[in-house]
Amino acid sequence: MIEDKNQARTPLSELGEFGLIDHLTKQFEIKHTSTVKSIGDDAAVLEFSNKQIVVTTDMLVEGVHFDLSYVPLKHLGYKSVIVNLSDVYAMNAQATQVTVSIAVSNRFPLEALEALYEGVALASKIYNIDVVGGDTTSSTSGLLISVTAIGEVNPEDAVYRTGAKPNDLLVVTGDLGGAYMGLQVLEREKEVFKVNPNNQPDLDAYTYIMERQLKPEARKDIVKLLKDLDVKPTSMIDVSDGLSSEILHICKASKVGCDLYEDKLPLDPQVISTCEEFNIDSTTVVLNGGEDYELLMTISQKDFPKIKANPNLTVIGYITDESVGANLVTRGDTKIPLQAQGWKNFNS
Ligand code: ADP
Ligand code: MG
């Protein structure tokens, strides 16, 4: 859980701001012809022809979005890029560039930031992204990372939250609830560690959900899959806050209702067993958990034959008239209105 125990601790003051920026960013190479000017000037210069440009930002704050007692910095750097790419893919766009801004206190040595940027570099390599800029500043105590992602999309391919129509299928990628249950396990082990620091946690039974929490992936593959299947969703959103709140976003933006079927929710066996262990209802976890970074979309009925055999896509319900509202149809066949559970960070 605790990292770089025996590593060097070079104070940031040894490099100074510009030395630090240079040290962290010299590894980045340009991959896209749309990147005309990258790090090293007052601004990056990008050039896209015949495309629409997608821009999105997400900020991660220590103590609010992550806890460094169990999140390795490399994973944090990786995840801070992934959460932004996920928003680009939710527009059915291709991500091309990111900027990475950090606020950091002198409690962090250079080696910590190197680890953070290893994660940034790994994500940019795997997802084929140019890191084209950012900002570096000091903070009084915590660490803050803000990433902006830029992407491109053919104007006719962009998918918004607004296009869902009654009778469309409600479809989700992958499986849900893993990231939240991974967090539950990590929080539990943190408490155990506080009581007995010699107790080495055995996390073998939780590898999948641990990875879902610590090293999430963004569904770049789905943007390609949809293109290959020749399916353009009528609406799409990424699942960052829990299924319930994402469905409500689509319903509100599209002025529709929906029926979501509890027995169709895609669950990994490890999510089911960990829910049993923690005595938590798996449906509650899926609806309110968050951080799965899957894609939720609506698809016209006429496209059903194209998607029905695909293991990446699960039909979990369908769109109804706005007047009916957004509902969960339980295993017992009762209808319960879906509730928004967003803004957890402010409530807890
Ligand atoms: P300015 O003073 O114009 O804001 P900076 O000295 O902050 O410029 O940044 C110099 C260059 O390094 C710019 O290209 C900027 O985008 C880039 N940069 C600064 N901090 C970071 C960072 N943390 N990660 C990536 N690029 C950075
Ligand atoms: Mg600056």
Side-chain angles (χ1 to χ4, degrees):
M1 290 177 129
I2 309 297
E3 64 191 311
D4 57 50
K5 266 182 231 129
N6 45 15
Q7 284 180 13
R9 290 181 60 89
T10 311
L12 295 179
S13 54
E14 244 174 55
L15 290 98
E17 183 189 337
F18 301 119
L20 174 64
I21 294 171
D22 187 49
H23 185 84
L24 293 177
T25 61
K26 63 178 180 231
Q27 62 181 315
F28 297 123
E29 283 164 17
I30 306 302
K31 309 178 187 81
H32 292 274
T33 51
S34 55
T35 306
V36 176
K37 183 82 195 178
S38 183
I39 292 168
D41 214 306
D42 296 308
V45 179
L46 310 179
E47 183 170 19
F48 300 88
S49 50
N50 306 321
K51 300 277 187 179
Q52 288 184 340
I53 308 307
V54 175
V55 181
T56 179
T57 299
D58 259 302
M59 186 151 60
L60 297 179
V61 178
E62 185 179 357
V64 179
H65 302 100
F66 58 90
D67 181 337
L68 287 176
S69 60
Y70 52 72
V71 178
L73 281 155
K74 183 176 173 181
H75 288 67
L76 182 63
Y78 191 86
K79 185 169 177 173
S80 66
V81 173
I82 293 303
V83 302
N84 281 276
L85 301 186
S86 179
D87 282 320
V88 173
Y89 301 139
M91 303 302 290
N92 205 27
Q94 282 303 331
T96 44
Q97 288 90 8
V98 292
T99 63
V100 180
S101 298
I102 53 175
V104 57
S105 77
N106 55 16
R107 114 176 187 256
F108 293 92
L110 174 65
E111 289 73 16
L113 296 185
E114 284 175 344
L116 185 77
Y117 267 72
E118 255 180 69
V120 169
L122 184 62
S124 66
K125 183 168 173 231
I126 292 176
Y127 288 85
N128 194 34
I129 309 292
D130 289 337
V131 181
V132 297
D135 199 20
T136 307
T137 182
S138 53
S139 117
T140 45
S141 60
L143 175 66
L144 188 150
I145 309 162
S146 174
V147 174
T148 297
I150 295 155
E152 56 175 37
V153 63
N154 290 323
E156 66 274 18
D157 292 338
V159 175
Y160 301 148
R161 297 176 179 183
T162 46
K165 296 275 179 292
N167 296 321
D168 284 354
L169 302 166
L170 191 59
V171 173
V172 75
T173 63
D175 55 72
L176 299 170
Y180 180 83
M181 290 318 294
L183 183 63
Q184 299 314 301
V185 172
L186 286 165
E187 294 276 358
R188 179 180 70 186
E189 295 310 321
K190 182 185 171 184
E191 293 309 310
V192 172
F193 185 82
K194 272 190 205 157
V195 178
N196 182 1
N198 295 320
N199 190 10
Q200 279 301 315
D202 181 6
L203 299 174
D204 285 354
Y206 309 108
T207 45
Y208 177 67
I209 59 175
M210 213 55 75
E211 199 164 295
R212 295 288 282 170
Q213 170 58 226
L214 293 176
K215 193 172 176 290
E217 303 294 350
R219 300 306 307 255
K220 179 181 184 172
D221 59 326
I222 298 297
V223 176
K224 178 170 188 303
L225 176 71
L226 291 169
K227 206 177 179 68
D228 292 347
L229 294 174
D230 193 27
V231 172
K232 183 186 173 188
T234 54
S235 71
M236 189 150 66
I237 187 169
D238 76 322
V239 184
S240 52
D241 286 342
L243 188 62
S244 195
S245 112
E246 315 304 359
I247 288 178
L248 289 167
H249 280 311
I250 284 188
C251 286
K252 190 170 178 216
S254 297
K255 300 191 173 63
V256 293
C258 80
D259 279 348
L260 169 69
Y261 288 85
E262 183 177 25
D263 64 354
K264 302 286 186 217
L265 297 176
L267 295 165
D268 185 85
Q270 218 170 77
V271 172
I272 297 173
S273 60
T274 314
C275 281
E276 281 167 5
E277 187 187 337
F278 279 74
N279 204 12
I280 312 178
D281 175 42
S282 60
T283 302
T284 307
V285 168
V286 167
L287 293 180
N288 307 317
E291 292 198 297
D292 288 315
Y293 301 106
E294 296 294 342
L295 294 174
L296 173 73
M297 63 193 90
T298 55
I299 290 180
S300 169
Q301 292 267 2
K302 73 169 168 44
D303 287 330
F304 179 62
K306 298 181 189 167
I307 64 147
K308 70 175 179 204
N310 199 287
N312 289 293
L313 305 172
T314 308
V315 178
I316 55 175
Y318 58 88
I319 297 299
T320 58
D321 203 74
E322 186 179 25
S323 59
V324 190
N327 299 290
L328 176 73
V329 182
T330 67
R331 290 193 188 85
D333 211 24
T334 40
K335 276 195 185 186
I336 306 174
L338 287 173
Q339 310 241 335
Q341 299 272 345
W343 302 109
K344 297 189 279 300
N345 299 328
F346 287 102
N347 296 334
S348 61

